[in-house]
Amino acid sequence: MLKKLSFLMLMSANYAYACQVEAVIVEYPLYNVSKSDLILEAKISDSKLYEEGRYTGTKSFKATVLQSLNGGFSVGEVIEAFSANEETRAVCPVFVETGKTYILVLSKGKDRFEISRFHAAVSDDHPNYKMFIEQIKRTSKK
């Protein structure tokens, strides 16, 4: 099993932050399956970015469900989700783009679905996207 990760260093005057960036992985991090409330393959229809502060990731998005890999949504349903309010030393934003399709790992917040920066969305242009979908399906059936 080949796993390769790279790190992005963010430098400031007094601190250096490291963000784990997926380079090449051939196996989906399946621990996400058992710990998640919802895993979907979905197409993003509306993505809004944060406009304040130095955090520039996705603030919220709407997506159309293409298939539910873990959870109770039907094909064609539209969901709305928000970035989880997480405090970390590293600023590693979640980005999802309007018009693209992703594997989304979501959790239930108090009154909404949330996406964590620790469960990065995987887009369908990733070379192992289809294999990841199959790995998740096999794991979620166990």
Side-chain angles (χ1 to χ4, degrees):
M1 170 178 16
L2 169 69
K3 289 189 181 184
K4 180 179 176 184
L5 298 174
S6 63
F7 292 90
L8 169 67
M9 296 299 292
L10 303 174
M11 307 296 274
S12 71
N14 299 318
Y15 301 99
Y17 301 101
C19 294
Q20 186 173 323
V21 178
E22 176 183 336
V24 177
I25 60 171
V26 294
E27 188 173 305
Y28 190 79
L30 295 171
Y31 58 84
N32 287 342
V33 175
S34 62
K35 294 182 178 183
S36 69
D37 294 317
L38 187 62
I39 300 179
L40 302 172
E41 179 181 27
K43 184 170 184 171
I44 306 300
S45 57
D46 184 26
S47 178
K48 296 186 180 355
L49 296 176
Y50 282 97
E51 296 180 3
E52 66 280 344
R54 65 184 194 150
Y55 185 84
T56 58
T58 299
K59 182 176 185 176
S60 65
F61 60 88
K62 291 183 182 172
T64 302
V65 175
L66 302 178
Q67 65 176 311
S68 179
L69 303 169
N70 184 21
F73 280 84
S74 300
V75 172
E77 282 190 79
V78 176
I79 61 135
E80 184 172 21
F82 298 81
S83 289
N85 184 15
E86 299 167 319
E87 292 294 326
T88 65
R89 298 275 306 175
V91 181
C92 304
V94 172
F95 282 103
V96 293
E97 296 178 49
T98 300
K100 291 187 79 174
T101 299
Y102 293 89
I103 298 170
L104 301 171
V105 178
L106 304 173
S107 59
K108 293 178 184 174
K110 289 183 180 179
D111 58 353
R112 64 188 193 177
F113 285 107
E114 296 180 337
I115 188 167
S116 169
R117 69 180 77 196
F118 301 109
H119 298 160
V122 178
S123 70
D124 64 352
D125 58 3
H126 188 286
N128 296 321
Y129 182 84
K130 289 182 182 184
M131 185 175 63
F132 292 167
I133 295 280
E134 293 306 314
Q135 288 172 355
I136 293 167
K137 284 180 180 179
R138 280 194 307 273
T139 301
S140 62
K141 288 182 182 177
K142 291 181 180 178

